Amino acid sequence: MERLQKVIANSGYTSRRKAEELILQKKVEVNGVLVSELGTKVSEKDIITVDGEEINRDEKVYYLLNKPRGVITSTKDEHGRKTVVSLIDEKRRIYPVGRLDYDTTGALILTNDGEFANRLMHPSNQIDKVYVAKIEGVLLPSEIMALKNGVEIDGIKTAKARVKIKKIDKKANTSIVEMVIHEGKNHQVKRMFECVNKKVLKLKREKIAFLDLKGLASGEYRKLSHKEVSKFYVLTK
Ligand code: URA
């Protein structure tokens, strides 16, 4: 059972506050009965109408965003910084699946499908994420091995990773390194590099499983197709 105003807001019809106003204005009915109290709880089976129009509680939406730098991966920010959710023109309450740091760019999924989000984030599902990092310096073979085999973050060893050196700029003393991991610890990539004394200068997530950023410039987004959504459901059985 959930509060009526929350269910109306979650359907994307309007915000929580506006939903409360609609209830107080006696515009909301549950199973044909007028409800004007805010605490009312409803179940999944209840039919809710606003101004006589049934709200669609089930429609799920899925977006892939090419996150720019300087945007926070959250639904709100206390300090008034721009959020990833505000970049997407969608009335429903969507939220990001996992996190990218403020200064990290690249692939981020946003949805209102809680089960989908949980499945994708659950470590047992081992969804590969491909990151490309620009780091200070050049990795020694022993450091590459350490990153591949796992390094300790907060006393726990990270799972095996794939690590590939894409480019070395000797003059600038920087390297471009691709790293594929399936865990999602906080700041994982930066902290893994920290373990081998390398600073990450730039970080981009280029892929989440089979989803890449083809056709999406920084700040652009698209809806996932039904096929892509079911592919994720199959991958995370
Ligand atoms: N790892 C990081 O360190 N930062 C991110 O944003 C994502 C993965």
Side-chain angles (χ1 to χ4, degrees):
M1 300 284 274
E2 274 189 306
R3 290 163 92 87
L4 182 56
Q5 57 265 41
K6 185 174 170 200
V7 173
I8 296 172
N10 286 349
S11 76
Y13 189 90
T14 185
S15 68
R16 183 92 59 105
R17 175 147 343 133
K18 290 258 170 61
E20 290 176 355
E21 282 171 18
L22 291 168
I23 294 169
L24 294 174
Q25 289 163 2
K26 301 192 171 28
K27 289 186 171 166
V28 179
E29 289 182 0
V30 178
N31 304 322
V33 178
L34 188 77
V35 170
S36 55
E37 272 173 43
L38 288 182
T40 308
K41 298 234 170 133
V42 290
S43 78
E44 297 211 330
K45 291 195 194 108
D46 290 322
I47 293 170
I48 300 162
T49 56
V50 179
D51 275 335
E53 185 193 333
E54 186 174 340
I55 62 162
N56 186 349
R57 297 169 65 176
D58 296 331
E59 199 188 336
K60 302 285 191 263
V61 286
Y62 309 85
Y63 290 95
L64 172 66
L65 168 72
N66 185 355
K67 178 191 173 295
R69 260 168 183 259
V71 180
I72 186 161
T73 304
S74 171
T75 49
K76 302 197 210 41
D77 185 53
E78 291 162 7
H79 309 291
R81 287 176 297 184
K82 215 186 218 181
T83 69
V84 287
V85 170
S86 74
L87 297 178
I88 295 182
D89 184 18
E90 168 61 61
K91 275 207 301 179
R92 288 177 187 80
R93 297 304 171 101
I94 53 170
Y95 41 85
V97 179
R99 285 180 162 272
L100 287 180
D101 296 334
Y102 189 65
D103 59 353
T104 300
T105 61
L108 183 71
I109 294 174
L110 296 101
T111 182
N112 59 349
D113 181 345
E115 192 196 338
F116 181 87
N118 287 336
R119 279 175 171 232
L120 251 66
M121 283 191 289
H122 201 277
S124 70
N125 280 324
Q126 310 214 340
I127 296 274
D128 275 348
K129 278 149 288 191
V130 181
Y131 290 93
V132 174
K134 180 178 181 181
I135 62 165
E136 225 168 54
V138 178
L139 287 166
L140 299 170
S142 61
E143 293 168 338
I144 298 173
M145 280 313 285
L147 289 171
K148 281 186 175 173
N149 289 327
V151 287
E152 263 193 29
I153 294 183
D154 295 335
I156 299 168
K157 201 172 168 195
T158 56
K160 284 203 184 314
R162 300 210 294 275
V163 180
K164 207 167 33 187
I165 311 298
K166 307 277 278 184
K167 212 163 143 188
I168 293 174
D169 185 336
K170 285 221 169 103
K171 225 161 128 198
N173 192 32
T174 58
S175 312
I176 306 287
V177 185
E178 182 185 279
M179 180 135 88
V180 186
I181 58 173
H182 59 253
E183 296 167 303
K185 298 185 202 305
N186 242 345
H187 314 300
Q188 179 155 346
V189 174
K190 290 177 187 167
R191 290 169 82 191
M192 286 176 75
F193 279 111
E194 231 168 66
C195 289
V196 292
N197 299 313
K198 294 289 177 284
K199 189 173 171 204
V200 172
L201 303 172
K202 264 189 186 174
L203 185 60
K204 180 174 190 182
R205 181 154 70 191
E206 294 214 322
K207 250 176 131 179
I208 304 169
F210 53 88
L211 270 190
D212 62 28
L213 290 165
K214 247 176 236 147
L216 292 180
S218 173
E220 288 185 346
Y221 60 89
R222 69 169 174 89
K223 279 195 169 167
L224 296 192
S225 67
H226 289 301
K227 209 165 160 191
E228 289 169 331
V229 174
S230 25
K231 226 164 150 182
F232 272 117
Y233 266 103
V234 171
L235 267 181
T236 56
K237 243 192 297 203

